[in-house]
Amino acid sequence: MHPPNVWQALSRPGYLLSPWPWRAAAYLLTGAAGGALLLAALAVWAVAGGVLTLVLVGLPLSAALAFAGLPVAALERRRLRWVDPAPAPSAHAEPGAPGVRAWLTARLRGRATWRELAHTLLAAGLLWPAEALVLVVALILPLAMTATPLLLATVGGGREVKVAKLWTVTGQGAAFGSAALGVLLLAAGAYALGAAAGARAALTRRLVCPRADGPQARVVELTRSRARLVDAFEAERRRIERDLHDGAQQRLVALSMALGLARLDAPPGTRLAEQLARAHDEAGAVLAELRELIHDIHPKVLADHGLAAALADAADRSPVPVDVECELPRERLPQAVEAAAHFAVREALANVARHSGARRARVRAELRDGRLLALEVEDDGRGGADRARGTGLTGLADRVSVLDGTLSVTSPTGGPTLLRVEIPCEPMPKPMQMPTGKDEGRGEDCASSSPRTASSSATA
């Protein structure tokens, strides 16, 4: 059984004959060389940023130093495998939304970024000289002493040779004595290399990896698992909608057509004609219910045309007249965000129709600062909505909180009721398209009213 890391290998009797001393030496050697190069790169970076600050170009260059630890930490997590093969995951949490801005915000706010920067500065300033010193004392010097007889015979001409530029050895006896001492020091140095590599790896793991039993590691894992569950949930909803639409619905359509044809062939006024008519009507009702169910699972208008069109569709389906105002970008929002926003508005309008007694409602959607989707649903009903009374608001809050969103309700007795939903997000990049002559920079600013009223509809 192979020891899992260099620390446990040190306690095994076969350590000197195992690959661990050489792996430790390679770990320290690459750390020393990389640290020296890193020091030079950081010095050039800092000087260039300071000089270019006079023309304002150096300001972003200097600010980018905060991210210098990210590539270094990624490389260090790979180097850890040489002396500690245990998993070394990143300590960074996933951004709440796609896009460069969300990534930069998440990295600047995360503690892991600053720990990795501290590790980078430590590696460039203190760790690489210490690693170089350990390599010289524990490896290079013993190897030079072990090679004394060979050096005496070749370089020294058989008379004398200077070992490591420190002392002079004359004669074969002294040379072989130096070699024997070098072998002993090399064996001791192998343990020193293992201990130094283990200590260096432990420090690196503490700075660039999440603690296995710490709260931050649990938060990171919970955040990632929650994002995976949201994506899996939305994918499963789309799969169910597609299977129902392409499978059961098509078979019901075929059944309804077959019953309609049979109804035409049946003699009028007979019992068979009545039963076929009843079966045909039942098939039509089931088909209508299935279509409504498919729409509730994942509306096709949401998948094809985006959130603005889906909100207008939800308003059209509401029994209460609804005015819709939306100021959304042309770029699509993340699918999970669009689905949660549509679900929140649809359920809120359903609550308005069932509980509020309102004569009219209003829905407003906008993307604030390019990264926060804000929704408002307001009605002129009797008010008094309370999450504790099970009016569906608790389920709405749970659905929104999965995406780090918030839900608030203002509903005094006598009305009006105002529901606010805020979900952090960023628009997804839009695929390249041929120019159409339209103003591509504008978003989907729309204002519409439910067709159940006499109000007009317009699209800005």
Side-chain angles (χ1 to χ4, degrees):
M1 180 178 178
H2 297 287
N5 57 50
V6 68
W7 284 115
Q8 297 187 12
L10 285 170
S11 61
R12 303 291 178 88
Y15 171 76
L16 292 177
L17 300 179
S18 70
W20 285 105
W22 303 108
R23 295 173 69 169
Y27 181 73
L28 294 175
L29 179 60
T30 55
L37 293 176
L38 182 61
L39 177 61
L42 290 178
V44 171
W45 194 343
V47 171
V51 172
L52 293 177
T53 301
L54 299 176
V55 291
L56 300 181
V57 180
L59 293 178
L61 187 63
S62 299
L65 275 173
F67 300 102
L70 300 182
V72 176
L75 180 61
E76 286 295 325
R77 283 190 287 269
R78 291 182 176 273
R79 286 203 319 122
L80 274 175
R81 302 172 187 173
W82 294 356
V83 293
D84 187 1
S90 172
H92 294 285
E94 295 294 332
V100 176
R101 184 172 183 176
W103 184 87
L104 291 175
T105 302
R107 292 296 179 265
L108 287 175
R109 292 179 178 177
R111 295 183 179 179
T113 301
W114 304 107
R115 287 205 310 271
E116 291 176 355
L117 179 61
H119 167 267
T120 300
L121 297 177
L122 191 63
L126 296 177
L127 293 181
W128 79 266
E131 291 170 325
L133 180 62
V134 171
L135 285 170
V136 169
V137 174
L139 181 63
I140 296 178
L141 184 59
L143 285 177
M145 295 178 64
T146 305
T148 300
L150 179 62
L151 294 175
L152 181 65
T154 56
V155 180
R159 294 187 299 273
E160 65 177 24
V161 67
K162 207 163 190 178
V163 179
K165 304 295 183 181
L166 296 177
W167 66 88
T168 302
V169 174
T170 58
Q172 292 292 337
F176 281 103
S178 176
L181 181 59
V183 171
L184 294 177
L185 292 179
L186 190 61
Y191 283 92
L193 290 173
R200 172 72 163 86
L203 177 61
T204 299
R205 182 175 289 276
R206 185 173 184 84
L207 290 176
V208 304
C209 299
R211 297 180 183 178
D213 56 348
Q216 182 181 0
R218 290 194 293 270
V219 169
V220 170
E221 181 57 30
L222 286 175
T223 301
R224 291 175 176 172
S225 63
R226 184 177 65 177
R228 291 193 297 267
L229 286 175
V230 170
D231 294 339
F233 176 71
E234 291 303 324
E236 186 66 14
R237 285 168 63 94
R238 291 192 296 272
R239 185 192 66 79
I240 294 174
E241 182 269 338
R242 184 174 59 253
D243 291 346
L244 289 176
H245 182 274
D246 298 338
Q249 178 175 313
Q250 300 304 320
R251 297 179 66 180
L252 276 175
V253 170
L255 175 62
S256 180
M257 293 178 62
L259 289 173
L261 293 175
R263 183 179 177 182
L264 292 175
D265 294 337
T270 62
R271 183 175 179 80
L272 176 61
E274 294 178 359
Q275 291 177 345
L276 286 174
R278 188 180 305 110
H280 188 215
D281 294 340
E282 286 294 330
V286 171
L287 183 59
E289 292 180 2
L290 181 61
R291 285 171 175 165
E292 190 66 25
L293 176 63
I294 293 174
H295 181 274
D296 291 340
I297 291 176
H298 191 77
K300 189 171 180 61
V301 65
L302 177 64
D304 294 345
H305 302 289
L307 182 59
L311 294 182
D313 178 72
D316 290 341
R317 292 172 177 269
S318 173
V320 178
V322 181
D323 298 324
V324 179
E325 302 173 8
C326 57
E327 299 177 5
L328 299 175
R330 290 186 181 276
E331 295 83 2
R332 293 290 297 271
L333 301 177
Q335 292 180 351
V337 174
E338 287 189 341
H342 178 261
F343 175 81
V345 171
R346 191 183 64 193
E347 289 300 309
L349 291 178
N351 286 338
V352 169
R354 285 196 297 261
H355 305 294
S356 71
R359 294 189 301 269
R360 195 168 193 84
R362 179 181 66 87
V363 174
R364 177 174 175 79
E366 63 176 336
L367 191 66
R368 297 174 181 171
D369 300 327
R371 57 179 180 176
L372 183 67
L373 176 63
L375 303 169
E376 291 184 358
V377 181
E378 186 177 11
D379 66 79
D380 57 0
R382 66 176 66 96
D386 186 2
R387 294 170 59 175
R389 294 191 308 192
T391 56
L393 296 178
T394 302
L396 281 178
D398 292 341
R399 177 70 181 271
V400 170
S401 65
V402 170
L403 299 172
D404 291 330
T406 59
L407 181 144
S408 61
V409 179
T410 303
S411 182
T413 303
T417 297
L418 177 61
L419 180 143
R420 290 189 179 91
V421 174
E422 294 182 346
I423 305 175
C425 67
E426 284 193 6
M428 299 176 63
K430 191 175 182 179
M432 294 295 293
Q433 296 179 350
M434 294 297 293
T436 60
K438 298 180 180 180
D439 183 6
E440 297 295 336
R442 294 185 58 189
E444 297 184 29
D445 300 339
C446 62
S448 63
S449 299
S450 170
R452 292 178 173 80
T453 70
S455 304
S456 61
S457 301
T459 302

Coordinates of all heavy atoms in Angstrom, one line a residue, residues 51-89:
V51 N 5.1 53.3 -13.4 CA 5.5 54.3 -14.4 C 4.3 54.7 -15.3 O 4.1 55.9 -15.6 CB 6.6 53.7 -15.2 CG1 7.0 54.6 -16.4 CG2 7.9 53.4 -14.4
L52 N 3.5 53.7 -15.7 CA 2.4 54.0 -16.6 C 1.2 54.7 -15.9 O 0.3 55.2 -16.5 CB 1.9 52.7 -17.2 CG 2.9 52.1 -18.2 CD1 2.3 50.8 -18.7 CD2 3.2 53.0 -19.3
T53 N 1.3 54.8 -14.5 CA 0.2 55.5 -13.8 C 0.2 57.0 -14.2 O -0.8 57.7 -14.2 CB 0.4 55.4 -12.3 OG1 0.4 54.0 -12.0 CG2 -0.6 56.1 -11.5
L54 N 1.4 57.5 -14.7 CA 1.4 58.9 -15.1 C 0.5 59.2 -16.3 O 0.0 60.3 -16.4 CB 2.9 59.3 -15.4 CG 3.9 59.1 -14.3 CD1 5.3 59.5 -14.8 CD2 3.5 60.1 -13.1
V55 N 0.3 58.2 -17.1 CA -0.6 58.4 -18.2 C -1.9 57.6 -18.0 O -2.6 57.3 -19.0 CB 0.1 57.9 -19.5 CG1 1.2 58.9 -19.9 CG2 0.6 56.5 -19.4
L56 N -2.2 57.2 -16.8 CA -3.5 56.6 -16.4 C -3.6 55.2 -16.9 O -4.5 54.4 -16.4 CB -4.7 57.4 -16.8 CG -4.8 58.8 -16.3 CD1 -6.1 59.4 -16.9 CD2 -4.8 58.9 -14.8
V57 N -2.7 54.7 -17.7 CA -2.8 53.3 -18.2 C -2.4 52.4 -17.1 O -2.8 51.2 -17.0 CB -1.9 53.1 -19.4 CG1 -1.9 51.7 -19.9 CG2 -2.3 54.1 -20.5
G58 N -1.5 52.8 -16.2 CA -1.0 51.9 -15.2 C -2.0 51.7 -14.0 O -1.7 50.8 -13.2
L59 N -3.0 52.5 -13.9 CA -4.0 52.2 -12.8 C -4.7 50.9 -12.9 O -4.7 50.1 -12.0 CB -5.0 53.4 -12.8 CG -4.5 54.8 -12.5 CD1 -5.6 55.8 -12.5 CD2 -3.9 54.7 -11.0
P60 N -5.3 50.5 -14.1 CA -5.8 49.2 -14.2 C -4.7 48.1 -14.1 O -5.0 47.0 -13.6 CB -6.5 49.1 -15.5 CG -5.9 50.2 -16.3 CD -5.5 51.3 -15.3
L61 N -3.5 48.4 -14.6 CA -2.4 47.4 -14.5 C -2.1 47.1 -13.0 O -1.8 46.0 -12.6 CB -1.2 47.9 -15.3 CG -0.1 46.9 -15.5 CD1 -0.5 45.7 -16.2 CD2 1.1 47.6 -16.2
S62 N -2.0 48.2 -12.3 CA -1.7 48.0 -10.8 C -2.8 47.3 -10.1 O -2.6 46.5 -9.2 CB -1.4 49.4 -10.2 OG -0.3 50.0 -10.8
A63 N -4.0 47.7 -10.5 CA -5.2 47.1 -9.8 C -5.2 45.6 -10.1 O -5.7 44.8 -9.3 CB -6.5 47.7 -10.2
A64 N -4.8 45.2 -11.3 CA -4.8 43.8 -11.7 C -3.8 42.9 -10.8 O -3.9 41.7 -10.9 CB -4.4 43.6 -13.2
L65 N -2.9 43.6 -10.1 CA -2.1 42.8 -9.2 C -2.8 42.0 -8.2 O -2.3 41.0 -7.6 CB -1.1 43.8 -8.5 CG 0.2 44.1 -9.2 CD1 1.0 45.2 -8.5 CD2 1.1 42.9 -9.4
A66 N -4.1 42.5 -7.8 CA -4.9 41.7 -6.9 C -5.2 40.3 -7.4 O -5.5 39.4 -6.5 CB -6.2 42.5 -6.6
F67 N -5.2 40.1 -8.7 CA -5.5 38.8 -9.2 C -4.3 38.0 -9.6 O -4.4 36.9 -10.2 CB -6.4 39.0 -10.5 CG -7.7 39.7 -10.3 CD1 -7.8 41.0 -10.6 CD2 -8.7 39.0 -9.7 CE1 -9.0 41.7 -10.4 CE2 -9.9 39.7 -9.5 CZ -10.1 41.0 -9.9
A68 N -3.1 38.5 -9.2 CA -1.9 37.8 -9.5 C -1.8 36.4 -8.8 O -1.1 35.5 -9.3 CB -0.7 38.6 -9.1
G69 N -2.5 36.3 -7.7 CA -2.5 35.0 -7.0 C -3.3 33.9 -7.6 O -3.1 32.7 -7.3
L70 N -4.2 34.2 -8.5 CA -5.1 33.2 -9.1 C -4.3 32.2 -9.9 O -4.5 31.0 -9.7 CB -6.2 33.9 -9.9 CG -7.1 34.9 -9.2 CD1 -8.2 35.4 -10.1 CD2 -7.8 34.2 -8.0
P71 N -3.5 32.6 -10.9 CA -2.8 31.6 -11.7 C -1.7 30.9 -10.9 O -1.5 29.7 -11.1 CB -2.2 32.4 -12.9 CG -2.1 33.8 -12.4 CD -3.3 33.9 -11.5
V72 N -1.1 31.6 -10.0 CA -0.1 31.0 -9.1 C -0.7 29.9 -8.2 O -0.2 28.8 -8.1 CB 0.6 32.0 -8.3 CG1 1.6 31.4 -7.3 CG2 1.3 33.1 -9.1
A73 N -1.9 30.2 -7.7 CA -2.6 29.2 -6.8 C -3.0 28.0 -7.6 O -2.9 26.9 -7.1 CB -3.8 29.9 -6.1
A74 N -3.5 28.2 -8.8 CA -3.9 27.1 -9.7 C -2.7 26.2 -10.0 O -2.8 25.0 -9.9 CB -4.5 27.6 -11.0
L75 N -1.5 26.8 -10.2 CA -0.3 26.0 -10.4 C 0.1 25.3 -9.2 O 0.5 24.1 -9.2 CB 0.8 26.9 -11.0 CG 2.1 26.2 -11.3 CD1 1.9 25.1 -12.3 CD2 3.2 27.2 -11.7
E76 N 0.0 25.9 -8.0 CA 0.4 25.3 -6.8 C -0.5 24.1 -6.4 O 0.0 23.1 -5.9 CB 0.3 26.3 -5.6 CG 1.4 27.4 -5.7 CD 2.8 26.7 -5.4 OE1 2.8 25.7 -4.6 OE2 3.8 27.2 -6.0
R77 N -1.8 24.2 -6.8 CA -2.7 23.1 -6.5 C -2.3 21.9 -7.3 O -2.5 20.7 -6.9 CB -4.1 23.5 -6.8 CG -4.7 24.3 -5.7 CD -6.2 24.5 -5.8 NE -6.5 25.4 -6.9 CZ -6.7 26.7 -6.8 NH1 -6.6 27.3 -5.6 NH2 -7.0 27.5 -7.8
R78 N -1.8 22.1 -8.5 CA -1.3 21.0 -9.3 C 0.0 20.4 -8.8 O 0.3 19.2 -8.8 CB -1.1 21.4 -10.8 CG -2.4 21.7 -11.5 CD -2.2 22.1 -12.9 NE -3.4 22.3 -13.7 CZ -4.1 21.3 -14.3 NH1 -3.6 20.1 -14.2 NH2 -5.2 21.5 -14.9
R79 N 0.9 21.3 -8.3 CA 2.2 20.9 -7.8 C 2.0 20.1 -6.5 O 2.9 19.2 -6.2 CB 3.1 22.0 -7.5 CG 3.7 22.7 -8.8 CD 5.0 23.4 -8.5 NE 5.0 24.2 -7.3 CZ 5.9 24.0 -6.3 NH1 6.8 23.1 -6.4 NH2 5.8 24.8 -5.2
L80 N 1.0 20.3 -5.8 CA 0.7 19.6 -4.5 C 0.7 18.1 -4.7 O 1.0 17.3 -3.8 CB -0.6 20.1 -3.9 CG -0.5 21.3 -3.0 CD1 -1.9 21.7 -2.5 CD2 0.4 21.1 -1.8
R81 N 0.3 17.7 -5.9 CA 0.1 16.2 -6.2 C 1.5 15.5 -6.0 O 1.5 14.3 -5.8 CB -0.4 16.0 -7.6 CG -1.8 16.6 -7.8 CD -2.2 16.5 -9.3 NE -3.4 17.3 -9.6 CZ -3.9 17.5 -10.8 NH1 -3.2 16.9 -11.8 NH2 -5.0 18.2 -11.0
W82 N 2.6 16.2 -6.2 CA 3.9 15.5 -6.1 C 4.2 15.0 -4.7 O 4.8 14.0 -4.5 CB 5.0 16.5 -6.5 CG 4.9 16.8 -8.0 CD1 4.1 16.3 -8.9 CD2 5.8 17.7 -8.7 NE1 4.3 16.9 -10.1 CE2 5.3 17.8 -10.0 CE3 6.8 18.6 -8.3 CZ2 5.9 18.6 -11.0 CZ3 7.4 19.3 -9.2 CH2 7.0 19.3 -10.6
V83 N 3.7 15.7 -3.7 CA 4.0 15.3 -2.3 C 2.7 15.1 -1.5 O 2.8 14.5 -0.4 CB 4.8 16.4 -1.6 CG1 6.2 16.5 -2.2 CG2 4.1 17.8 -1.6
D84 N 1.6 15.4 -2.0 CA 0.3 15.2 -1.3 C -0.8 15.0 -2.3 O -1.4 16.0 -2.8 CB 0.0 16.4 -0.4 CG -1.2 16.1 0.5 OD1 -1.8 15.0 0.4 OD2 -1.6 17.0 1.3
P85 N -1.0 13.7 -2.7 CA -2.0 13.5 -3.8 C -3.5 13.7 -3.4 O -4.3 13.5 -4.3 CB -1.8 12.0 -4.1 CG -0.4 11.7 -3.6 CD -0.3 12.5 -2.4
A86 N -3.7 14.1 -2.2 CA -5.1 14.3 -1.8 C -5.7 15.4 -2.7 O -5.0 16.3 -3.2 CB -5.2 14.7 -0.3
P87 N -7.0 15.4 -2.9 CA -7.7 16.4 -3.8 C -7.4 17.8 -3.3 O -7.4 18.1 -2.0 CB -9.2 16.1 -3.7 CG -9.2 14.6 -3.4 CD -8.0 14.4 -2.5
A88 N -7.1 18.7 -4.2 CA -6.9 20.1 -3.8 C -7.8 21.0 -4.6 O -7.4 21.6 -5.6 CB -5.4 20.5 -4.1
P89 N -9.1 21.1 -4.2 CA -10.0 21.9 -5.0 C -9.8 23.4 -4.8 O -9.1 23.8 -3.8 CB -11.4 21.5 -4.4 CG -11.1 21.1 -3.0 CD -9.7 20.5 -3.0

